[in-house]
Amino acid sequence: MELGSLADREPTLVANPARKAAVLVPLVEGDSASHIVFIRRSDTLEEHPGQMGFPGGRYEPRDGDRRETAVRESNEEIGLRAAEIAQIGRLDDVETVSGYTVSPFVARVPDRAYRPTDEEVADVVSLPLEAFTTPENHAYEGWMHPEYGTVPCHHFIVNGYTVWGATARMLVQLLTLGTEWTVPDPPDRPLGDRISD
């Protein structure tokens, strides 16, 4: 993975968001392959239960900025210590249907075991980066947008785990910036509707 372009770019930011959040996009560079660390949210949560995501959460006033939010939440959710995080760069802000503006921070993290350290996290999963660039693991699903009707949205399935919604949008930008993967053309055929993010 080549991340020089990510380190040098200026991300597109949302000015004065009403509800701020941040996530860490943790990259593990092992001896043979790179992996991305995801969390699977608890099935008991009110927002996005059971979905795959990156460690992170709501901005709190005690956080100096949203990067601190991502670092704090990563420690709370998967036990990742601040000293273990080597920030590479920042992806564009992502707005979600639930009303949050999420700031994603990409970082290298150690190649070690990670486990849930918060009741909001059901599982921590490390998935091979290369698998997300395999055409068979990507598809589009139709999501119902309140203004635009059904729109095609990214959907990745790797090792039995499904990554979609806002997390998939972040992943698409990471892949296009750091690998040779290009966004496939959306399908011409109609898609079934899914309302979520």
Side-chain angles (χ1 to χ4, degrees):
M1 186 167 208
E2 177 51 57
L3 294 170
S5 60
L6 176 60
D8 297 334
R9 71 184 293 273
E10 288 293 326
T12 301
L13 307 179
V14 174
N16 303 314
R19 301 176 77 189
K20 297 183 284 188
V23 298
L24 193 75
V25 182
L27 301 180
V28 174
E29 295 180 334
D31 293 336
S32 59
S34 296
H35 288 71
I36 306 174
V37 179
F38 294 88
I39 61 167
R40 186 173 64 79
R41 293 168 59 82
S42 170
D43 292 327
T44 62
L45 295 176
E46 289 184 17
E47 292 184 338
H48 315 299
Q51 289 186 17
M52 299 293 287
F54 297 119
R58 281 189 295 253
Y59 169 84
E60 295 184 5
R62 63 180 164 143
D63 301 327
D65 55 27
R66 276 177 269 180
R67 181 187 178 282
E68 286 190 20
T69 301
V71 171
R72 174 182 55 76
E73 288 278 351
S74 295
N75 178 257
E76 292 175 4
E77 293 185 343
I78 67 171
L80 183 63
R81 297 181 295 274
E84 297 179 296
I85 298 170
Q87 184 175 328
I88 299 168
R90 183 171 173 175
L91 301 174
D92 295 343
D93 283 352
V94 172
E95 296 181 275
T96 71
V97 169
S98 54
Y100 283 96
T101 296
V102 182
S103 300
F105 296 86
V106 181
R108 289 185 179 90
V109 300
D111 186 3
R112 67 170 177 84
Y114 295 96
R115 293 180 179 81
T117 53
D118 186 279
E119 62 185 13
E120 294 182 358
V121 180
D123 199 6
V124 182
V125 183
S126 181
L127 298 175
L129 172 70
E130 185 178 10
F132 290 97
T133 66
T134 303
E136 294 77 17
N137 293 339
H138 174 270
Y140 282 99
E141 278 201 1
W143 289 356
M144 179 59 83
H145 189 280
E147 294 179 33
Y148 307 114
T150 303
V151 294
C153 296
H154 300 280
H155 187 88
F156 295 89
I157 302 176
V158 172
N159 294 353
Y161 294 97
T162 302
V163 178
W164 59 288
T167 303
R169 284 185 275 156
M170 297 173 205
L171 185 57
V172 163
Q173 186 176 36
L174 177 69
L175 295 175
T176 55
L177 289 171
T179 72
E180 295 182 0
W181 185 80
T182 56
V183 180
D185 292 331
D188 294 327
R189 60 181 173 75
L191 293 165
D193 295 340
R194 172 183 278 184
I195 303 175
S196 189
D197 195 282

